[in-house]
Amino acid sequence: MRTFQYTIKDAVGIHARPAGLLAKTAKALDSTVTIALGDKKADAAKLLALMGMGIRCGDTITVTVEGGDEIASEQAMRDVFEANL
């Protein structure tokens, strides 16, 4: 299991477009990716679950990657966050 934290920089937070990119990336991985904010957790492959978390600009989330090629999966998710959020 690998984890990293990321602070959202997008002024709108996690909205439809970046949530779609996150879900698409997570679905393509052979690892399970979970995003947590406080006591809320969501499977990163589920678009509506991500949008329902209400993640805003300035929030620091924790991303957990489990199973499969965790190192490559973690890097793929970091790349999506840094490019879009």
Side-chain angles (χ1 to χ4, degrees):
M1 176 172 73
R2 299 182 61 88
T3 62
F4 68 92
Q5 293 190 324
Y6 185 81
T7 301
I8 304 299
K9 297 171 184 75
D10 187 299
V12 185
I14 294 184
H15 53 93
R17 185 187 55 78
L21 292 171
L22 288 170
K24 181 178 178 181
T25 302
K27 285 179 187 176
L29 302 174
D30 62 347
S31 300
T32 301
V33 181
T34 306
I35 295 178
L37 175 65
D39 60 347
K40 297 181 196 175
K41 290 184 180 180
D43 181 344
K46 306 216 182 264
L47 173 69
L48 293 177
L50 288 174
M51 291 177 58
M53 290 183 70
I55 299 172
R56 300 180 184 150
C57 182
D59 287 345
T60 299
I61 59 169
T62 301
V63 181
T64 305
V65 180
E66 293 183 80
D69 186 354
E70 293 177 350
I71 295 171
S73 296
E74 176 188 6
Q75 190 58 53
M77 293 305 292
R78 282 183 186 269
D79 292 345
V80 172
F81 277 105
E82 291 170 8
N84 301 288
L85 288 162

